[in-house]
Amino acid sequence: MARVEFIFLLIALGIAFINVAVAFDVNSNSNFIAYWGQSSAGSQKSLGEYCKDSSVDAVALAFLYQFPNTKLDFSANCRSTFSGSELLHCPEIAADIKYCQSQGKAILLSMGGAAGAYGFSSDEEARSYANTVWDMFLGGNGSQRPFDDAILDGVDLDIEGGSTSGYAAYVAQLRSHFAAKSDKKYYITGAPQCPFPDAMLGSTLNSAWFDMVFVQFYNNFCGLDAYPQGFNYDAWDTWAKSQSVNKDVKIYIGAPGSQSAAGRGYVDASQLNTITGEIKGKYSSFGGVMTWDASQAFDSGSWGQDVSSALKSGVAKRSIPRRRRV
């Protein structure tokens, strides 16, 4: 009887071990990160549905599009607000965040975007808003938290307009909170355009600590469609190793998830896998692929799965063709 019980115990332990999610590894060179929240393909699944896919290692929620007067937009996945306020209250997304994190995914809040009214008038205003973000979305204790007690894993800066002032002070203030509450790992990421230096984030990237940088290699002359001659990953690698505050910062190749996801720069999975294979083998700064966005990469073809699989295995796979949106 004892032997039978011992065998069942071993089986149970084995099952438990299999079910333990591997935590997000910021030092990996094979991460696949997707933006979610803008229904770029015309519609989108819930955050939790995308997190069921093992291809995804982290998700950036798009966007906190107005600040310091906080406004959020997750394109129809959250419509309720706090009483007497325009601030979104998103308990369903909160539950999805917790589920994603239980699966080992990191969930970031992306600030900015191509459209929005945002920016800081001074370092003082930026530091004050960092305190607000800490209390509303991260490890603080704000009275109104859009995701209730769900605690996000960090903040992404996708700054494409407004003033360039204050962002270094904003990051420094957030990081002071991170240091004071070290029981959880938090990340700061940025999403500059590929022309170097980036017009909006360039000075901030040189003066603040970033864990990951998701370079948008699309909608520009230096994008994936210009590979190899016009593709400038080398400039970003040089920055990472010589100018970045964090000399171990990881640089991601930002790629459109389908033909309709960007004006230019889309390449199919087979071509992208060839490019990432060469970059991965040449540059130690390489962290993986970022895609805009989850709906484009996963909802009408296998582009996202094929790219992620190749990153993790080194084997390029042919993507199932998708119909081009018109």
Side-chain angles (χ1 to χ4, degrees):
M1 187 68 173
R3 182 175 180 180
V4 173
E5 291 175 348
F6 179 70
I7 291 172
F8 276 111
L9 176 61
L10 289 178
I11 293 172
L13 288 173
I15 292 172
F17 178 79
I18 290 170
N19 289 331
V20 171
V22 177
F24 178 76
D25 181 6
V26 70
N27 297 311
S28 171
N29 64 357
S30 59
N31 284 326
F32 187 88
I33 295 176
Y35 280 80
W36 174 88
Q38 290 297 291
S39 302
S40 174
S43 62
Q44 65 186 3
K45 299 174 184 175
S46 70
L47 173 64
E49 284 299 310
Y50 292 110
C51 286
K52 292 178 181 178
D53 195 322
S54 61
S55 302
V56 177
D57 297 294
V59 179
L61 308 181
F63 286 107
L64 196 176
Y65 73 95
Q66 186 168 312
F67 57 84
N69 179 25
T70 304
K71 288 191 177 180
L72 302 161
D73 174 26
F74 304 109
S75 289
N77 277 71
C78 178
R79 295 183 182 277
S80 62
T81 59
F82 288 99
S83 178
S85 170
E86 294 183 356
L87 181 65
L88 289 181
H89 181 209
C90 311
E92 294 85 4
I93 297 179
D96 282 351
I97 290 168
K98 291 181 179 181
Y99 169 73
C100 294
Q101 292 171 329
S102 77
Q103 300 304 299
K105 325 287 188 184
I107 308 297
L108 312 169
L109 178 64
S110 186
M111 299 174 56
Y118 53 82
F120 301 121
S121 60
S122 66
D123 285 357
E124 182 179 1
E125 183 177 62
R127 283 189 286 266
S128 176
Y129 193 65
N131 296 335
T132 297
V133 168
W134 173 255
D135 284 337
M136 292 178 73
F137 302 102
L138 301 170
N141 297 298
S143 59
Q144 292 185 330
R145 291 177 58 91
F147 305 129
D148 295 329
D149 61 347
I151 300 173
L152 295 177
D153 297 295
V155 171
D156 172 62
L157 297 179
D158 181 13
I159 307 304
E160 302 185 34
S163 170
T164 61
S165 300
Y167 290 105
Y170 172 83
V171 172
Q173 183 68 10
L174 273 183
R175 290 190 60 79
S176 72
H177 287 295
F178 299 171
K181 197 168 185 178
S182 58
D183 57 321
K184 176 179 171 65
K185 176 66 176 175
Y186 295 97
Y187 306 103
I188 299 291
T189 69
Q193 307 288 313
C194 62
F196 184 85
D198 180 71
M200 298 305 302
L201 273 180
S203 61
T204 303
L205 288 169
N206 287 340
S207 54
W209 180 287
F210 284 81
D211 297 285
M212 297 169 279
V213 174
F214 311 142
V215 183
Q216 298 181 46
F217 285 107
Y218 48 90
N219 291 336
N220 268 299
F221 62 88
C222 44
L224 287 161
D225 55 337
Y227 188 87
Q229 289 84 3
F231 185 70
N232 70 338
Y233 186 96
D234 59 335
W236 288 97
D237 175 75
T238 298
W239 167 82
K241 294 172 180 174
S242 63
Q243 294 177 269
S244 173
V245 176
N246 173 17
K247 297 300 186 294
D248 294 319
V249 63
K250 287 296 185 180
I251 307 298
Y252 285 66
I253 292 178
S258 76
Q259 189 81 46
S260 63
R264 62 176 291 188
Y266 171 74
V267 296
D268 64 27
S270 178
Q271 186 176 354
L272 181 56
N273 293 343
T274 298
I275 294 171
T276 56
E278 293 176 359
I279 297 298
K280 187 176 183 179
K282 186 175 181 180
Y283 298 105
S284 60
S285 63
F286 181 70
V289 169
M290 169 277 282
T291 191
W292 178 266
D293 67 349
S295 66
Q296 299 276 5
F298 291 102
D299 288 2
S300 58
S302 64
W303 187 93
Q305 288 91 345
D306 292 347
V307 171
S308 179
S309 176
L311 280 171
K312 292 167 173 56
S313 68
V315 178
K317 295 184 178 180
R318 185 175 298 277
S319 184
I320 297 172
R322 64 175 71 218
R323 183 179 298 172
R324 181 173 179 175
R325 290 174 59 87
V326 294

